[in-house]
Amino acid sequence: MSNQNETFEYDDDVAVEFIHNYLPQDLKEKFSEDTLYYILDLICEFYEKNDYLDEDDEEKEEKELITFIVQEARKDAIGNFLPDDILMVLRAEEAYINTLDVGD
C-alpha cells in the first residue's frame, strides 16, 4: 500500500530531465541540460535575494524572475534567451514540482 499523502524530494537531476522532456522540440535544442541546471541555480539565487512570501502579486514576481534569468544568462555568456522561452522553462519546472506532491 502506498501513503496517499506521500511527497517526494526535489531532485535537480530528475528536474532537469523532466524539464528537458517537457519542452517543445525547438526549446530542447536551445536549452542543454547544463543550461537547465544553470537556470535552476538562478531560480534559487533569485529567491534567496528576494523575499516573496506574499503570493498576491505572483505575476510581478514571475516577470522579475524571468528578467533576472535573462539578464544573468546574458551577463554570464550562457545565452540570449527570450522571456517567453524562460517562461516555458518555468512552466516545465512548475509541472515537475506538481509531480512531487502526489496526494492532497
Side-chain angles (χ1 to χ4, degrees):
M1 286 192 188
S2 69
N3 181 353
Q4 292 210 1
N5 291 326
E6 186 176 1
T7 58
F8 298 95
E9 300 242 351
Y10 192 102
D11 182 308
D12 286 346
D13 296 330
V14 176
V16 166
E17 182 179 350
F18 182 96
I19 293 166
H20 198 259
N21 289 333
Y22 188 95
L23 294 173
Q25 188 61 38
D26 61 322
L27 293 184
K28 285 180 186 180
E29 295 168 8
K30 190 178 241 185
F31 292 100
S32 70
E33 287 187 359
D34 287 340
T35 302
L36 292 175
Y37 279 109
Y38 172 82
I39 290 172
L40 292 180
D41 287 344
L42 287 179
I43 292 169
C44 291
E45 183 179 330
F46 177 82
Y47 284 110
E48 286 174 7
K49 288 181 176 182
N50 300 285
D51 187 22
Y52 282 104
L53 298 176
D54 182 10
E55 295 184 14
D56 291 337
D57 205 351
E58 290 180 11
E59 186 177 325
K60 178 183 176 199
E61 175 185 335
E62 184 175 76
K63 286 180 183 178
E64 289 178 9
L65 174 58
I66 290 168
T67 299
F68 175 75
I69 292 170
V70 168
Q71 289 173 346
E72 291 297 305
R74 190 172 294 133
K75 181 183 80 174
D76 292 341
I78 299 297
N80 290 317
F81 301 117
L82 299 173
D84 286 344
D85 294 345
I86 297 300
L87 179 61
M88 285 295 299
V89 172
L90 294 179
R91 292 291 181 260
E93 198 240 358
E94 185 178 300
Y96 168 70
I97 289 171
N98 289 336
T99 68
L100 298 179
D101 187 10
V102 294
D104 283 325

